Every structure is written in structure tokens, then in C-alpha cells.
């Protein structure tokens, strides 16, 4: 596994550093990430930069908006406060209604590690 | 490409953008595909990945549901495309992960199916661009700026679609509608929508910057291919732009050129209606 030699290319392309405050960006908080994968794409040493960021995210408490999304997924399977209104809006566009996953499936999918 | 497609709305499109899914359905059906919904609406796993290793369970369940229908998955957002494709990659490369996930899914009578292809709608429509060009009987005549969904193209080694840094497919699809694609400085940059969940001010600053850049380049409209880009540039636009700028999903633009009505395609915003009026449609 190659290691970083601080060439700085990943920082140069990162939108958080290009458009955000110099003190910010994923180094200050790994959740401040555009999910654009540019850092990993341009790394001359082929380091999986974005994968490393994901590992760093797991060591931190997620931001409130992400935490709300996670709670919604656990409750309904979707990262939004999904209710019957979704299918009302779909009907307006001639779309079939969505079925929500049963609680037993969500419980199964939300478990980590070996069965 | 299988004739059966499972059109995967994902959380955001299911919740906020039925017009995107509807326009995509119209085009897929015109091209002869049989379009179905997932048996259960389930997150692709993208939002879970930063919090937990169980993201792959969600991705795998979606792949298994498509396999059960004998369908390929067609996605509408960059994040879903990226997550499902990387999950396939992980499940193929890591037998221990695959076995654990397969056992878990087995308890819900779902089985992993390695033959399911996951493709963004861009890829499917681009492959059928010649057919769409033949069907495009109502040429549009305005300048349109592409907003590329970056996660569809990167990481390039896994996604294997178009160029990972300078994709062209959306520009080519805009051309077949009669619109002139407009190049602009941020064309191949991320829109910044993901920051909305972690650094709202940064997301809005990037949205403002992009809309202004597209306007300066002479575009009359933006064309998106992802619910997240659309959320920032369209739904949140009033928070950073003084004057409304029309933002269309790319299947809405293509379906317009195929003769479908703006009302059928859900083009309801004032800016979109003004664009369509000015284009003489």
C-alpha cells in the first residue's frame, strides 16, 4: 500500500478547500466532503483518499442532517421522512405507488458484522 | 442491456422529484424498455457509508431485488449509481463480505445476483442517442449548460463510464435536442450539493457561483442529471440567486424535444415556463 508524500494535489482539487474557508475542509472535519471523489481520482500514488475519509467519518459523530437521515432509514428504509404523501405526489405524475420495506427487513439490514 | 429495467428512484427523487422519475419513465418506455419499480423502496446505502459498514447490506438488497425481477438497475442520482456500483465491486472482490451479506439477505429470502448491471440513465440514453435523435421531432433552440453528476464517473476504475474528469455524454445528449450546449468554467466540477448536509453556507456559495457562471457563459438554462445537483441549483436557488434561472432534468429536456408537453413533464416553475414560452413551444 503506497503512502502519502504530502504532494498536495488532493487538497488543490478539493471543493471544500477551493470554495470554503482555509481552516475548514475534510482535514478539520471529515464530514465536510463533497463526495466527488476527485481527491482519489487525481492521487499520483493511487491512495484511496476518499476511502480513508470514510474511515475517518466513522470515528466521528455524524452531523445533525446525516443523523436525521440515518434515523429515517432505520424507521422507513428511506433517508427522508417518508410517508403516504410520497405516493400522493407520485400519483400526480402517473407513477405507481412505492411500497415500504417491512420492519423485519430493515432490522436485518441494519445489523453489522457476521450473522 | 436487458429489456427489463428497475428504475431506482432513490430517497431524494422519491421524496422530492417525481417529475424526474416520470420523465425518465416516459423515455425508457419510448425506447422499448419494460420499466418496473423496486419491490421495496430502500436507500441505496450512500448515506449510511460514513456511519457504518452495514451500508453494503442496503446496496446488496437492492441488487438482489433487481435480480429477482430479471432486471438491470437504472439510476437517477450520482450517489446511488456510485454506491451500488462500488458495492458490486466490493462483493466481487471480498468473498468474506459477500458471504456475510448473502447469509443476511438469505434470511429475507433475497439472493445476490452478480449479473445485474447498474447504469445511470445518462449511460442508457446515451447508448440509444441515435434512436432518440430520430424521435426528436421538435428541435429546441436555446443554450443549455450541462451539470455533470460527478459520482457517476468517479472513481473511474470502478465506474468505467465516460471520462472520470471530463465526461462528455450529457453535452452530447443536450445536442440531440437541438439545444446548444454551453461550456463554462465549472462544467466538470462538483456542484457542492453534498455540503448542504454538513456546511450549508459552503453549498449555497457554490450554487450561487455556478448559476452565475452559467449565466455569464450565455446559458438560458441548466440541465441536471442528479437529484442532489437539482436540489441545490433549483429548489434552493431562491436562497442565493436574485433572478430565477431555469433548471431542467435532462430527461425533461429530451422528452420536450420528442414532443411531450411541458405540463406532462412537470415543468411548472415560473423560470421553466418562461424558458419554454421564449423557445416558442
Amino acid at each position: 500500500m503506497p503512502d502519502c508524500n504530502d504532494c498536495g494535489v488532493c487538497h488543490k482539487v478539493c471543493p471544500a478547500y477551493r470554495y470554503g474557508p482555509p481552516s475548514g475542509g475534510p482535514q478539520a472535519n471529515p464530514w465536510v466532503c463533497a463526495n466527488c471523489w476527485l481527491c482519489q481520482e487525481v492521487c499520483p500514488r493511487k491512495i484511496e483518499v476518499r476511502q480513508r475519509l470514510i474511515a475517518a467519518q466513522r470515528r466521528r459523530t455524524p452531523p445533525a442532517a446525516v443523523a436525521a437521515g440515518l434515523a429515517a432509514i432505520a424507521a422507513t428504509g428511506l433517508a427522508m421522512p417518508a410517508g403516504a404523501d410520497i405516493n400522493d405526489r407520485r400519483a400526480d405524475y402517473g407513477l405507481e405507488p412505492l411500497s415500504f420495506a417491512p420492519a423485519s427487513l430493515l432490522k436485518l439490514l441494519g445489523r453489522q458484522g457476521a450473522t | 442491456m436487458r429489456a427489463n429495467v428497475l428504475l431506482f428512484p432513490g430517497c431524494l427523487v422519491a421524496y422530492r422529484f417525481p417529475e424526474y422519475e416520470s420523465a425518465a419513465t416516459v423515455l425508457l418506455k419510448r425506447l422499448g424498455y419494460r420499466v418496473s419499480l423496486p419491490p421495496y423502496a430502500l436507500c441505496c446505502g450512500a448515506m449510511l457509508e460514513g456511519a457504518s459498514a452495514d451500508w453494503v447490506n442496503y446496496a446488496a438488497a437492492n441488487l438482489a431485488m433487481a435480480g429477482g425481477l430479471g432486471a438491470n438497475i437504472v439510476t437517477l442520482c450520482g450517489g446511488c449509481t456510485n454506491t451500488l456500483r462500488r458495492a458490486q465491486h466490493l462483493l466481487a472482490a471480498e468473498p468474506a463480505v459477500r458471504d456475510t451479506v448473502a447469509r443476511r439477505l438469505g434470511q429475507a429470502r433475497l439472493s445476490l445476483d452478480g449479473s445485474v448491471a447498474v447504469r445511470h440513465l445518462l449511460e442508457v440514453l446515451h447508448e440509444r442517442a441515435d434512436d432518440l435523435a430520430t424521435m426528436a421531432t421538435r428541435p429546441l433552440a436555446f443554450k443549455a449548460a450541462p451539470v455533470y453528476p460527478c459520482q457517476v464517473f468517479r472513481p473511474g476504475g470502478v465506474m468505467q463510464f465516460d471520462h472520470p474528469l471530463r465526461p462528455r455524454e450529457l453535452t452530447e445528449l443536450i445536442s440531440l435536442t437541438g439545444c446548444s450546449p454551453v461550456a463554462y468554467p465549472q462544467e466538470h466540477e462538483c456542484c457542492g450539493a453534498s455540503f448542504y448536509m454538513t456546511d450549508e453556507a459552503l453549498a449555497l456559495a457554490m450554487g450561487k457561483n455556478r448559476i452565475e457562471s452559467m449565466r455569464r457563459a450565455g446559458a438560458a438554462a441548466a440541465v441536471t442529471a442528479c437529484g442532489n445537483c437539482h436540489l441545490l441549483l433549483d429548489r434552493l436557488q431562491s436562497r442565493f440567486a436574485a433572478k430565477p434561472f431555469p433548471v431542467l432534468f435532462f430527461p425533461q429536456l429530451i422528452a420536450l424535444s420528442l414532443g411531450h408537453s411541458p405540463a406532462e413533464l412537470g415543468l411548472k416553475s415560473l423560470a421553466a415556463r418562461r424558458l419554454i414560452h421564449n423557445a416558442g413551444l
Side-chain angles (χ1 to χ4, degrees), chain B residues 223-243:
Chain B
V223 181
T224 56
C226 169
N228 282 290
C229 309
H230 201 89
L231 178 72
L232 175 66
L233 298 175
D234 185 75
R235 292 289 170 92
L236 301 172
Q237 193 190 102
S238 61
R239 293 180 60 184
F240 53 76
K243 202 172 129 203

Side-chain angles (χ1 to χ4, degrees), chain B residues 81-154:
Chain B
T81 319
N82 180 293
T83 301
L84 294 172
R85 287 274 271 262
R86 285 190 303 104
Q88 286 180 311
H89 199 74
L90 174 68
L91 292 166
E94 303 280 351
V97 175
R98 186 177 62 233
D99 291 349
T100 304
V101 171
R103 274 201 303 278
R104 174 113 359 127
L105 294 186
Q107 292 176 44
R109 299 198 181 135
L110 290 169
S111 20
L112 275 181
D113 182 340
S115 72
V116 174
V118 176
R119 306 169 85 194
H120 190 277
L121 183 68
L122 258 181
E123 194 174 354
V124 177
L125 297 191
H126 188 266
E127 191 177 271
R128 302 289 302 275
D130 289 346
D131 296 319
L132 290 169
T134 308
M135 294 178 199
T137 51
R138 183 168 63 188
L140 310 174
F142 49 86
K143 292 182 177 178
V147 180
Y148 278 94
C150 46
Q151 296 182 77
V152 172
F153 310 101
R154 295 190 289 270

Side-chain angles (χ1 to χ4, degrees), chain B residues 14-229:
Chain B
Y15 189 63
R16 288 191 192 276
F17 301 119
E19 67 271 34
Y20 183 16
E21 186 182 339
S22 173
T25 306
V26 164
L27 292 180
L28 289 168
K29 286 187 173 170
R30 292 260 328 240
L31 290 168
Y33 296 105
R34 287 188 294 277
V35 182
S36 56
L37 285 175
Y40 297 123
L42 205 57
C43 170
C44 65
M47 187 172 284
L48 294 150
E49 192 175 1
S52 143
D54 64 11
W55 71 276
V56 74
N57 293 341
Y58 283 76
N62 281 303
L63 294 165
M65 287 193 284
L69 295 171
N72 283 336
I73 292 180
V74 175
T75 49
L76 296 171
C77 288
C80 308
T81 319
N82 180 293
T83 301
L84 294 172
R85 287 274 271 262
R86 285 190 303 104
Q88 286 180 311
H89 199 74
L90 174 68
L91 292 166
E94 303 280 351
V97 175
R98 186 177 62 233
D99 291 349
T100 304
V101 171
R103 274 201 303 278
R104 174 113 359 127
L105 294 186
Q107 292 176 44
R109 299 198 181 135
L110 290 169
S111 20
L112 275 181
D113 182 340
S115 72
V116 174
V118 176
R119 306 169 85 194
H120 190 277
L121 183 68
L122 258 181
E123 194 174 354
V124 177
L125 297 191
H126 188 266
E127 191 177 271
R128 302 289 302 275
D130 289 346
D131 296 319
L132 290 169
T134 308
M135 294 178 199
T137 51
R138 183 168 63 188
L140 310 174
F142 49 86
K143 292 182 177 178
V147 180
Y148 278 94
C150 46
Q151 296 182 77
V152 172
F153 310 101
R154 295 190 289 270
V158 175
M159 302 310 286
Q160 301 278 333
F161 169 53
D162 206 337
H163 192 282
L165 300 175
R166 304 193 73 78
R168 291 284 309 162
E169 264 73 357
L170 183 54
T171 305
E172 288 165 13
L173 285 172
I174 288 172
S175 293
L176 75 79
T177 67
C179 283
S180 310
V182 173
Y184 59 105
Q186 287 87 4
E187 185 176 344
H188 291 108
E189 289 183 11
C190 171
C191 66
S194 290
F195 289 133
Y196 190 64
M197 302 196 83
T198 57
D199 186 340
E200 190 178 309
L202 179 55
L204 299 178
M206 287 181 68
K208 181 176 196 288
N209 185 41
R210 175 162 302 234
I211 295 279
E212 285 174 357
S213 173
M214 290 190 284
R215 262 196 224 279
R216 274 199 302 275
V223 181
T224 56
C226 169
N228 282 290
C229 309

